[in-house]
Amino acid sequence: MIVLSQPERRYVLVPQTLEQLATAGKGADLVLEGGGVKGIALAGAVVRLREAGYVFPRVAGTSAGAIVASLIAAYQVAGIELSQIVTDMRELNYQSCEQTDAMERDLGLMGDAYAVLRYQGLYETGFVHDWLSARLTAAGVETFADLKITDDPGTSLAPQQRYRLVVHATDLTRKALVRLPWDLPFYLLAGRSGPALSLEQQIAAIDGYKVCDAVRASMSIPYFFRPFAQPTPLGECTWVDGGLLQNFPITAFDRTDGAPNRWPTFGVKLSARVKAGVPDHKVQGNLREAIGIIDTALGEWNTYLLADEGVGSRTVYVDTTGFSSLDFGLTDDGRDELYRRGQTAAEAFLTAWDATRQKAAAAQKAGAQKAGAQKAGARAAGARAAGSRTPGASGAAAPTAGRPATAPPPVS
């Protein structure tokens, strides 16, 4: 039985929907990269963005990013200040995440090998599940029905995708990326080919799915945590960490209907920008090749694609150099340092983002003024041309009997 302290929570009024607030002022959808125990750096960045006035109508994440994303979505719906997430992340006892039974602890390395062979992972995810469930429940969130978007006529999302949270998992059974809750009908109601029931039945199935289960699947790092077993009408699927296929789903909320985005999507990455001039090194040996394959799968294999799409300009890069994602012995000082780096990175991002917006606004204004001047010039030229074809319009009278054409017009 895990007893969790419930810190005093600070509430703020939410007089409008998040979509209305985003449209009227500063709004952005938010995507958070996975990073294990470095997740408190995500909290630092998010809190700074919120302090700058931003709200986040929809939030996506993978692994540790899924944990923080779920808290953001729940706290915004409940009207709880996002600074509460910092308290939550500081209270999370990472060492308790390494759950093993007595026999495995007594056997040491042999116990670890036994756990991996029998359970496909060293540790259970029950502690994090219970820790997160306590906080979400306190905010009034248990299932995805509690995070449904019900009043957003401008959305391009399909009805079964209108939820404030999306987390990503990897399906080893079907060899696919799973976007939760969007793809749940493929698992709850039908087989691989697609949902077999009505839209209303699909939404009802999604609404009843527990948010904590989705996050638990997203954070199940292969071999470190035991996989998540998802029952289906056809049997059972094995889900693991979404970072295996998509650790930074920055394009999750980009519109696909051809209409412009109503607000931007901000991403938060737990790594610094790639530096130019870093030497390339050959991967030598089978062991290093195997490690390289894992690192590539869990890393940013789509770096160049994202660069082509201009993702860097809307991404907060938090330099977490010196910290390991799996350092479950992270000290309080280490947490404070990661939080500070998240805040610093978000501050730098906001400065650059605001400067870019101001430059774009100035260019748009100058363009509008130029276009207005061109239209005014065109109208004036048209008027002169029309006047030259109209008798008397140019100031010269048409020839009349007994009066030369060059004579001044009569004064009336």
Side-chain angles (χ1 to χ4, degrees):
M1 181 69 179
I2 298 172
V3 180
L4 298 173
S5 62
Q6 294 296 325
E8 181 180 353
R9 298 178 183 273
R10 300 177 297 279
Y11 290 82
V12 294
L13 294 177
V14 184
Q16 298 173 288
T17 67
L18 292 171
E19 287 74 25
Q20 290 170 334
L21 291 170
T23 302
K26 292 182 177 180
D29 291 329
L30 194 62
V31 174
L32 307 178
E33 184 181 40
V37 301
K38 297 186 289 186
I40 194 169
L42 297 172
V46 170
V47 168
R48 182 64 194 94
L49 293 174
R50 182 68 191 97
E51 289 171 348
Y54 283 93
V55 295
F56 314 107
R58 297 170 295 191
V59 193
T62 300
S63 196
I67 295 174
V68 178
S70 67
L71 292 171
I72 294 170
Y75 286 177
Q76 285 189 130
V77 168
I80 300 173
E81 292 184 359
L82 296 187
S83 58
Q84 175 63 39
I85 298 174
V86 181
T87 301
D88 294 336
M89 297 302 291
R90 282 177 171 153
E91 288 183 345
L92 176 57
N93 184 350
Y94 290 129
Q95 290 182 330
S96 295
C97 297
E98 300 175 312
Q99 286 185 301
T100 57
D101 59 33
M103 183 189 73
E104 291 166 7
R105 288 192 296 272
D106 292 340
L107 291 176
L109 291 177
M110 290 293 292
D112 291 343
Y114 170 80
V116 171
L117 290 173
R118 180 169 181 178
Y119 303 114
Q120 299 173 252
L122 289 172
Y123 308 116
E124 268 282 1
T125 52
F127 173 79
V128 178
H129 178 275
D130 293 344
W131 173 89
L132 181 62
S133 178
R135 281 146 183 82
L136 295 182
T137 300
V141 172
E142 293 187 18
T143 70
F144 277 98
D146 300 315
L147 297 177
K148 184 181 290 188
I149 300 173
T150 57
D151 185 17
D152 184 21
T155 186
S156 65
L157 294 174
Q160 68 271 28
Q161 295 180 332
R162 294 174 186 173
Y163 297 87
R164 301 208 176 278
L165 174 68
V166 181
V167 302
H168 294 74
T170 298
D171 181 353
L172 297 182
T173 301
R174 300 184 183 179
K175 302 173 178 60
L177 177 69
V178 187
R179 304 162 303 170
L180 302 170
W182 293 356
D183 297 328
L184 280 172
F186 292 95
Y187 294 89
L188 302 181
L189 303 177
R192 299 172 184 236
S193 60
L197 303 180
S198 68
L199 178 62
E200 289 75 17
Q201 289 170 312
Q202 294 178 46
I203 293 174
I206 293 173
D207 284 351
Y209 199 85
K210 293 184 178 180
V211 174
C212 277
D213 284 346
V215 175
R216 188 175 190 173
S218 182
M219 58 159 283
S220 297
I221 302 171
Y223 297 116
F224 193 85
F225 288 125
R226 295 166 190 176
F228 181 85
Q230 175 57 50
T232 76
L234 301 177
E236 184 176 279
C237 286
T238 299
W239 289 354
V240 296
D241 196 310
L244 195 64
L245 294 179
Q246 187 61 282
N247 205 34
F248 186 51
I250 184 64
T251 58
F253 300 121
D254 290 353
R255 295 185 76 110
T256 57
D257 60 353
N261 292 315
R262 294 172 293 172
W263 47 75
T265 297
F266 290 165
V268 183
K269 280 183 64 65
L270 295 176
S271 57
R273 287 180 180 270
V274 178
K275 297 179 180 179
V278 176
D280 294 321
H281 297 286
K282 180 180 179 180
V283 177
Q284 189 81 30
N286 293 331
L287 178 59
R288 290 182 180 177
E289 181 179 355
I291 295 173
I293 290 172
I294 296 173
D295 287 343
T296 300
L298 294 175
E300 292 312 312
W301 47 266
N302 56 349
T303 296
Y304 301 124
L305 173 62
L306 295 180
D308 289 342
E309 296 175 350
V311 167
S313 63
R314 52 184 170 130
T315 299
V316 180
Y317 289 90
V318 184
D319 186 355
T320 58
T321 303
F323 291 92
S324 168
S325 298
L326 299 179
D327 180 11
F328 286 86
L330 184 66
T331 65
D332 289 342
D333 289 343
R335 298 188 197 211
D336 291 342
E337 174 62 17
L338 284 169
Y339 176 78
R340 185 193 65 77
R341 292 190 189 186
Q343 290 256 298
T344 301
E347 183 65 38
F349 168 81
L350 288 169
T351 300
W353 180 261
D354 290 343
T356 300
R357 292 182 67 190
Q358 291 171 1
K359 184 177 179 180
Q364 185 178 20
K365 182 178 179 180
Q369 291 175 339
K370 183 178 180 180
Q374 289 174 340
K375 289 181 180 179
R379 286 195 297 267
R384 288 193 297 271
S388 66
R389 296 190 297 271
T390 304
S394 64
T400 58
R403 183 181 297 135
T406 57
V411 179
S412 59

